[in-house]
Amino acid sequence: MTEAFRPLGGKLLTRHFYFMGVLVLICGYFLVRRFVFGIGDVSHLSDGFPWGLWITYDVVTGTAIACGGYAMALLVYVFNRGQFHPMIRVALLTSVFGYTLAGASIVVDVGRYWQLYNVFLPQYINLNSVMLEVALCVTLYTLVLWIEFSPAILEAMKANRLLRFMRHILFFFIGVGILLPTMHQSSLGSLLLIAGYKVHDLWQTTIIPLLFLITAITMGYGIVVFESLYASVNLGRKLETPMLAKISAIIPWLLGAYLVLRIGDLFLTGNIRAIAEPGFEPWLFLVEIALFVFAIVTLADKYHRTRPTILFWSSLAVVLGGALYRFDAFMIAFDPGPGWHYFPSVGEMSITLGIVAFEIMAYLFFVKKTPIMATEH
Amino acid sequence: MNIDRRQFFKVMAAGSAVAVGASPVQARPCKTLPPDAIGILYDANLCIGCKACEHACKDANDMPISGNGPIDQAHGVQGAWDGDDDLNGRTMNKIKAYVAEGSRTALEDPDASFIKRACMHCIDPDCVSACPVSALTKDTFTGIVSYNPDACIGCRYCQLACPFNIPKFQYDKTFPQIVKCQMCAPRIAEGEIPACCDACPTGASLFGRVEDLRVEGHRRLAMQPGERVEFPLNQLGGKTREAEAKKYLPHLYGETESGGTQYLMVAGVPFEELGMPPVGDESRARLSETLQHTLYKGMVAPGLLLGGLVYAAYQHTKEDREDHPEHETSLTDERDPKPESRDD
Ligand code: SF4
Ligand code: SF4
Ligand code: SF4
């Protein structure tokens, strides 16, 4: 594990970068409106759909996509697969931004943000609340991620003494950094348990925490593979195909377990009958399953796993399938009763897009200016 | 992949244990009604839709009446009638009319009915269980579920959780709050009764101890249509009036719904048709808390897992802890000598 990490270098202010900048500015405009005139001014959120795109994408899906760091840490530190160590920093980088910006978007979504610190005050906290656990774990994990990521920054700053100290205590934060996502990624699913009948039968189940956990880890591996391919194409790096082939070999196992649990549970509870009901929900369910089956079929084959194009499409399918699962459960197949409809407004979409654009800008800044990417051999 | 199967299943099993915990059979017991809990019995058969209760509610809670702008202007009046058609960020209590499909007016329809919507003050409230900062609390004595804006962070999880879709949020405000009926807790503290029951001319909104209201509810369900009966007005044990009983369907709504509620209802039309949601008899809070607490009971499982994870991380980061002076200096010496300029 002694590989050296180097900044990529290169120009930062490219056309892409400016484009992202424009998206961030548009986002800023809507943010100002949201904070001056209230949430109703920029969003289509309502009393029937109190949670919309912001929670579903920025928090529930965004943090799952940001599980790359968690998934890789599991592999390197729990399964002792040191060979993947070179990929850990990039994975951590996306996790850091995914979680930090999820935290930032909570400030936008929550109605009484100036009181957010109440979740830390002992006189207010409610230990029965799944939301409390999610809030505390996500906050803590964001901090832990920055600590885990700090060696890269310290190296860039050449703060050698601090760096040596960090190296000695880091194992503890690595341990915490695996526990916390295990807890809150499953709890993100548990959030829906209390919503009862409002969540469609095909998604409402007592094993939802387990389903969310498995898909979060799988999406973590998916995004690591996807991002590495992206970096190779767009940042002119060598393809890391042999390593990606090994990582993606885990995906069929995880998705297989997920499908057995999910479909088995639907049969056991009898909720599978909802698949025959009219409406578009059964189709959404089938698309989710199809995306996962596609990834399983392509990635189960050793030869396919070494082909970048196939890796690209199947890792994308994993991420999209997991994202669709979350969107369906929280938003699309969510039904609070007759008379309520929801489709995200331009303002909501602009704010979410701006946050994603900001994430990509920060990613580019860090890979170019700080030692994140491992040196190519 | 060289993670062997055994290891894979071991980890999956550990993960499932953490994610789902032991089986939810040892569910926590249902919460029970505080002995002196108070509530409201709404009788759709007595209600005449006069909305005096709505008006009194707005008055008691300092809520603005929402006028119908164009009509108000045309007639030169303001706020003459409440324009909102459902509970919302300025309405805690709403009377709605039900007319069977096909009939144009209530007069044409012998089965027409009113229905009153407000917080049901559940015995085991999902909203209280959901709220991360205890902004919603259930009074241990009266059982009233009330809201504290100083605690609330506005996450709106209570809205998602409430099976009756009751808590409303002020989406139009810069500094919004959650809005829902709190059974006029301040009035009750002063020995008065909720404003809606106080204002109701027919006894359709009736205040009392929940135990007594249940008895009263069942008395009504047993009434023969057409017989003349005494109905209490405003509150149990006070004034009464005589009226002709209409046909009641044998269902005391709220006796079991969502684990029981302190707001009870009787009607002559099925409650599904009156727009009451399909909540079931079990409080979801119970399921959610049971799952959550089996997982994190005494933080034992997470604690053990953390121990194992930290140990594993310690074992597998040995090399990182060895000092590599060459490595650190290498960074200062040859920091990417000529970064090729790359475009993305
Ligand atoms: S009806 Fe809804 S808001 Fe009222 S106590 Fe029950 S769960 Fe809470
Ligand atoms: S919106 Fe307020 S009252 Fe409702 S759950 Fe969130 S913090 Fe609690
Ligand atoms: S005041 Fe009484 S009769 Fe009038 S609408 Fe309200 S509940 Fe019905």
Side-chain angles (χ1 to χ4, degrees), chain A residues 7 14 16 36 40 46-47 50-51 77 81 109-112 115 118 124 126 128-129 133 167 191 193 197-198 336, chain B residues 2 130-131 133-134 149 151-157 159 162-163 165 169 171 174 176 284 292-293 296 316 320 344:
Chain A
T14 59
H16 272 131
V36 175
S46 63
D47 290 319
W51 290 359
Y77 300 112
R81 297 284 174 249
D109 178 83
V110 136
R112 300 172 66 80
Q115 293 188 160
N118 283 355
Y124 287 136
N126 171 15
N128 292 331
S129 168
E133 196 224 302
R167 284 224 188 96
L191 281 175
L193 283 172
Y197 68 90
K198 298 181 197 174
Chain B
N2 29 15
C131 179
V133 288
S134 318
C152 175
I153 58 173
C155 67
R156 310 191 290 283
Y157 190 30
Q159 295 197 288
C162 172
N165 282 311
F169 185 71
Y171 287 96
T174 310
R284 296 291 297 191
Q292 188 77 353
H293 289 315
Y296 299 115
H316 302 151
D320 284 357
D344 56 340

Side-chain angles (χ1 to χ4, degrees), chain B residues 17-299:
Chain B
V18 167
V20 177
S23 68
V25 260
Q26 318 112 354
R28 77 151 161 78
C30 292
K31 300 236 163 97
T32 46
L33 190 69
D36 285 308
I38 49 179
I40 290 172
L41 172 68
Y42 171 75
D43 188 332
N45 279 352
L46 294 184
C47 180
I48 52 171
C50 66
K51 296 193 176 204
C53 53
E54 279 187 19
H55 194 93
C57 176
K58 294 226 160 182
D59 203 32
N61 292 291
D62 264 335
M63 291 281 181
I65 296 267
S66 41
N68 185 331
I71 292 185
D72 285 354
Q73 261 176 21
H75 296 276
V77 291
Q78 204 256 313
W81 197 252
D82 195 2
D84 289 322
D85 54 8
D86 204 345
L87 297 177
N88 58 29
R90 48 183 175 256
T91 314
M92 298 177 176
N93 169 20
K94 196 76 216 170
I95 297 289
K96 297 186 183 191
Y98 159 83
V99 180
E101 236 171 283
S103 0
R104 272 173 301 120
T105 62
L107 285 176
E108 236 181 43
D109 178 4
D111 280 335
S113 173
F114 292 103
I115 180 79
K116 186 178 172 196
R117 296 302 307 273
C119 173
M120 305 291 289
H121 296 274
C122 304
I123 293 170
D124 191 352
D126 290 354
C127 62
V128 169
S129 168
C131 179
V133 288
S134 318
L136 291 160
T137 46
K138 187 166 178 74
D139 190 288
T140 44
F141 187 70
T142 60
I144 294 177
V145 176
S146 50
Y147 169 70
N148 172 12
D150 292 334
C152 175
I153 58 173
C155 67
R156 310 191 290 283
Y157 190 30
C158 50
Q159 295 197 288
L160 193 89
C162 172
F164 301 100
N165 282 311
I166 295 302
K168 300 296 169 193
F169 185 71
Q170 297 169 326
Y171 287 96
D172 50 344
K173 296 228 167 131
T174 310
F175 302 109
Q177 293 192 10
I178 287 286
V179 171
K180 74 161 204 78
C181 156
Q182 309 181 56
M183 224 191 262
C184 289
R187 287 171 58 99
I188 294 205
E190 284 170 21
E192 288 177 80
I193 68 170
C196 58
C197 301
D198 207 17
C200 180
T202 65
S205 286
L206 184 69
F207 175 74
R209 275 182 73 233
V210 178
E211 301 275 4
D212 304 336
L213 290 175
R214 283 183 179 172
V215 174
E216 173 67 16
H218 281 291
R219 180 180 79 99
R220 294 189 192 186
L221 299 187
M223 287 172 182
Q224 291 310 311
E227 66 176 324
R228 307 259 336 150
V229 235
E230 291 277 304
F231 288 102
L233 274 171
N234 310 112
Q235 63 179 314
L236 278 175
K239 281 181 289 183
T240 59
R241 79 180 174 103
E242 207 190 75
E244 189 176 299
K246 288 198 224 161
K247 177 192 72 155
Y248 287 96
L249 288 182
H251 185 177
L252 180 57
Y253 194 95
E255 201 173 20
T256 55
E257 274 73 14
S258 192
T261 65
Q262 292 176 214
Y263 210 101
L264 302 164
M265 304 202 265
V266 289
V269 174
F271 284 99
E272 312 83 82
E273 289 187 35
L274 295 179
M276 297 307 291
V279 293
D281 285 348
E282 174 90 18
S283 138
R284 296 291 297 191
R286 184 151 166 259
L287 175 70
S288 160
E289 287 181 23
T290 300
L291 214 59
Q292 188 77 353
H293 289 315
T294 0
L295 289 186
Y296 299 115
K297 188 139 190 231
M299 293 307 274

Side-chain angles (χ1 to χ4, degrees), chain A residues 58-225:
Chain A
D58 304 0
V59 181
V60 180
T61 310
T63 61
I65 291 178
C67 270
Y70 165 51
M72 291 308 285
L74 269 176
L75 207 51
V76 172
Y77 300 112
V78 176
F79 291 103
N80 196 20
R81 297 284 174 249
Q83 70 215 70
F84 299 114
H85 198 262
M87 311 195 65
I88 248 194
R89 271 201 189 169
V90 206
L92 265 182
L93 178 71
T94 16
S95 299
V96 161
F97 288 115
Y99 271 89
T100 308
L101 288 162
S105 67
I106 284 177
V107 178
V108 178
D109 178 83
V110 136
R112 300 172 66 80
Y113 51 87
W114 64 95
Q115 293 188 160
L116 259 176
Y117 63 88
N118 283 355
V119 295
F120 306 113
L121 300 185
Q123 73 265 39
Y124 287 136
I125 59 174
N126 171 15
L127 292 175
N128 292 331
S129 168
V130 183
M131 176 64 104
L132 179 84
E133 196 224 302
V134 171
L136 292 183
C137 277
V138 169
T139 320
L140 254 183
Y141 184 53
T142 310
L143 282 175
V144 168
L145 276 172
W146 279 103
I147 295 173
E148 285 187 71
F149 182 66
S150 65
I153 302 176
L154 294 174
E155 273 175 30
M157 291 164 52
K158 303 201 187 83
N160 282 343
R161 292 235 334 254
L162 203 53
L163 186 57
R164 201 167 308 143
F165 172 72
M166 281 308 297
R167 284 224 188 96
H168 279 92
I169 58 163
L170 213 52
F171 72 93
F172 175 75
F173 293 102
I174 291 173
V176 180
I178 297 174
L179 175 72
L180 291 173
T182 312
M183 286 168 67
H184 68 245
Q185 285 299 334
S186 54
S187 294
L188 281 174
S190 309
L191 281 175
L192 291 179
L193 283 172
I194 211 167
Y197 68 90
K198 298 181 197 174
V199 176
H200 192 277
D201 276 352
L202 289 173
W203 286 271
Q204 181 64 280
T205 155
T206 42
I207 63 163
I208 197 171
L210 186 55
L211 298 179
F212 265 62
L213 181 64
I214 301 177
T215 47
I217 298 174
T218 321
M219 286 166 83
Y221 291 121
I223 201 75
V224 165
V225 173

